[in-house]
Amino acid sequence: MSNPLRIAVVAGNGIGPEITAATQRVLEATGLAFDWVPVLVGDEAVAEHGHPLPQLSVRQLQEIGLALKGPLIVEKLKGRVICTHADGSEHVYPSLNNALRRELQLFVNPRPLRGMGALSGKWAELDIVIMREVTEDVYAGLERMVDADRAEAIKLTTRAAVRRVARYSFEFARKNGRRRVTCAHKANVLGLTDGMFLECCREVAAEFPEIAFDDCMIDAAAYALVKTPQRFDVIVTSNQYGDILSDLGAGLVGSLGLAPGANIGEAGAMFEASHGAAPDIAGKGIANPIALILSGALLLRHAGALAEAERVEAAVRSVVIERKILTPDLGGQASTEALTAAICARIKGASA
Ligand code: ATP
């Protein structure tokens, strides 16, 4: 590619800035040229524009279409964000991460779970992708106090949104040689909402006869992920179940610090780690940057830079599998800096 790849960068907070800088360094080590465009979201945006997600930032992200995003702290009990559009309409979101995805109309959050050699113990060969619907469910932002002692949240499910995420999951399976899609749900209890989710997945499955389809109750899916994860290939599920299952899966692989993610829409994509901003270790120089680096590799693949994406993934795997330079979450003592340097050196072909 001769023109620099233009990428919006949301540095995030907590460990966000540290792991975002590490990821930019690793992507640059591939030799590709980048035009990084910082976009203000979160505390920096509040300081500059008085809102954590100003419409100016939304427009910048939409215009660039490709973003690398560090995690953003979601304060418990205070996460709600209200965005006002040019037509005066107000949109309420339960968190800043949710607001970003929905303002950008990103509808699916693929979260790959891939074993990393001995670090992943029994699950060294694990290779699953969780496809999490991210526009509705109990995270739709429809939560309110009924009176002083009762609160309720609406579990929004629409056929259009489920068909869209189901179709994306089957198309992904078809393109990537995956053999099975499993819908994880609780349709035995939530017959209307999860019932609709399952029904729409079944409908879409009929359009892809070469891909096997089955379904699994969400509680049974959590159990099976721990006991027999190899039974899964692609899992399609709703917003909250996907949020929880993917952290469980990251635990199987070995650390939240190894779990990448993407957010895909019709007109844009934003790449971020599955984990949060880890405020407990922010600023200590020990955050594991790998989840975001692997998200960066997904970004390269999405942008068509397949060879570079593979080089980044291979370098990460070789450094992790060697187990010499690892951050504390992986049982090592290395710093973010040392791990990043080792991955860059591996990409450039030198020994770390
Ligand atoms: P959120 O609700 O946004 O997911 P959280 O505080 O519930 O945030 P995380 O920020 O993901 O969850 O952190 C969970 C635990 O995992 C913390 O102890 C944190 O330090 C650790 N952790 C998360 N990401 C990393 C990482 N990249 N490197 C090392 N440790 C991490």
Side-chain angles (χ1 to χ4, degrees):
M1 260 179 274
S2 46
N3 287 335
L5 194 51
R6 196 158 182 247
I7 298 177
V9 181
V10 175
N13 45 29
I15 59 170
E18 305 164 50
I19 62 173
T20 304
T23 300
Q24 289 176 271
R25 212 172 124 193
V26 168
L27 297 190
E28 283 173 357
T30 63
L32 286 174
F34 293 93
D35 173 14
W36 305 110
V37 184
V39 174
L40 300 186
V41 177
D43 300 340
E44 287 177 315
V46 173
E48 185 81 18
H49 301 287
H51 193 281
L53 183 55
Q55 287 302 299
L56 173 68
S57 299
V58 173
R59 279 198 301 278
Q60 275 181 299
L61 289 162
Q62 281 169 332
E63 188 250 314
I64 297 168
L66 260 187
L68 179 69
K69 173 187 166 287
L72 289 158
I73 294 175
V74 178
E75 281 190 65
K76 287 167 190 70
L77 309 179
K78 296 197 268 187
R80 184 172 277 229
V81 172
I82 301 174
C83 293
T84 309
H85 289 182
D87 62 2
S89 60
E90 278 199 345
H91 301 256
V92 181
Y93 303 111
S95 73
L96 187 50
N97 290 314
N98 182 291
L100 246 178
R101 292 185 185 120
R102 288 170 60 197
E103 286 282 302
L104 298 175
Q105 297 178 308
L106 307 174
F107 65 85
V108 57
N109 176 204
R111 289 182 160 180
L113 299 169
R114 229 183 132 195
M116 286 270 186
L119 251 189
S120 307
K122 285 201 284 187
W123 311 124
E125 302 303 319
L126 191 74
D127 188 8
I128 295 174
V129 182
I130 297 183
M131 296 292 182
R132 169 186 173 203
E133 202 288 328
V134 283
T135 68
E136 38 187 49
D137 193 29
V138 281
Y139 296 173
L142 304 171
E143 191 187 24
R144 65 171 192 127
M145 293 304 295
V146 179
D147 58 37
D149 300 311
R150 285 183 301 160
E152 65 180 17
I154 292 176
K155 182 174 165 77
L156 177 71
T157 309
T158 66
R159 289 191 198 280
V162 183
R163 284 182 186 135
R164 184 172 56 179
V165 73
R167 194 156 283 117
Y168 182 89
S169 304
F170 279 96
E171 274 164 6
F172 172 89
R174 181 179 271 169
K175 260 192 239 144
N176 293 278
R178 303 243 170 199
R179 294 178 317 277
R180 173 180 301 275
V181 174
T182 303
C183 166
H185 62 86
K186 191 77 184 177
N188 57 339
V189 176
L190 296 161
L192 302 181
T193 49
D194 280 12
M196 181 184 289
F197 199 99
L198 175 59
E199 205 176 278
C200 291
C201 286
R202 278 189 180 143
E203 252 175 56
V204 174
E207 297 168 25
F208 295 82
E210 78 279 20
I211 311 235
F213 173 73
D214 64 358
D215 69 280
C216 191
M217 296 297 172
I218 188 64
D219 43 350
Y223 181 72
L225 251 187
V226 174
K227 297 289 274 185
T228 50
Q230 67 278 17
R231 119 186 234 316
F232 296 111
D233 193 345
V234 175
I235 299 176
V236 59
T237 192
S238 54
N239 207 340
Q240 187 180 39
Y241 302 152
D243 189 13
I244 298 168
L245 270 198
S246 56
D247 268 30
L248 191 159
L252 283 186
V253 169
S255 168
L256 269 174
L258 295 174
N263 293 279
I264 311 282
E266 308 289 354
M270 182 173 78
F271 296 80
E272 64 176 340
S274 290
H275 59 72
D280 52 335
I281 55 164
K284 295 186 178 163
I286 54 164
N288 183 351
I290 287 178
L292 193 59
I293 291 171
L294 292 175
S295 307
L298 296 176
L299 182 155
L300 294 184
R301 183 163 288 125
H302 185 87
L306 304 186
E308 288 82 359
E310 270 160 33
R311 279 170 62 209
V312 171
E313 283 163 357
V316 166
R317 292 185 76 74
S318 101
V319 170
V320 171
I321 287 169
E322 200 174 81
R323 296 175 87 181
K324 282 193 194 147
I325 303 170
L326 297 176
T327 42
D329 60 303
L330 299 176
Q333 294 185 329
S335 61
T336 310
E337 157 63 31
L339 180 54
T340 307
I343 295 168
C344 289
R346 208 55 62 92
I347 289 173
K348 290 176 180 164
S351 65

